[in-house]
Amino acid sequence: MAFQTIIHVRDVSTARVLVAALKAHGFHPLEGGDGGLPGVTGLKGTAISVPEEEAQDAAILAGDLLREMEQ
């Protein structure tokens, strides 16, 4: 199964909330033990990835949730 990164966030705690919210809405995001390293961030922050077939819808939800969280 191929995964696609849908969003990068700077704060690991925010990434955890987004992953939980995506799961609650029926998406299947990668978690630390699913191919990523927990707590390791890149230059752009923590990446959240979902299966390619879910990427478009999950990106919309993640973007909306992130905007609400940042207000």
Side-chain angles (χ1 to χ4, degrees):
M1 179 182 299
F3 284 79
Q4 182 176 338
T5 299
I6 57 166
I7 196 166
H8 287 91
V9 292
R10 292 184 184 175
D11 183 15
V12 175
S13 297
T14 300
R16 289 183 184 134
V17 170
L18 288 175
V19 166
L22 287 166
K23 283 183 165 187
H25 284 87
F27 296 104
H28 303 92
L30 280 177
E31 291 193 58
D34 294 335
L37 297 173
V40 176
T41 60
L43 296 174
K44 296 181 182 179
T46 301
I48 298 175
S49 301
V50 297
E52 284 182 341
E53 57 273 3
E54 298 177 1
Q56 185 175 2
D57 293 334
I60 293 169
L61 176 61
D64 287 347
L65 290 171
L66 186 59
R67 277 190 293 281
E68 285 184 30
M69 292 169 66
E70 289 177 341
Q71 290 182 352

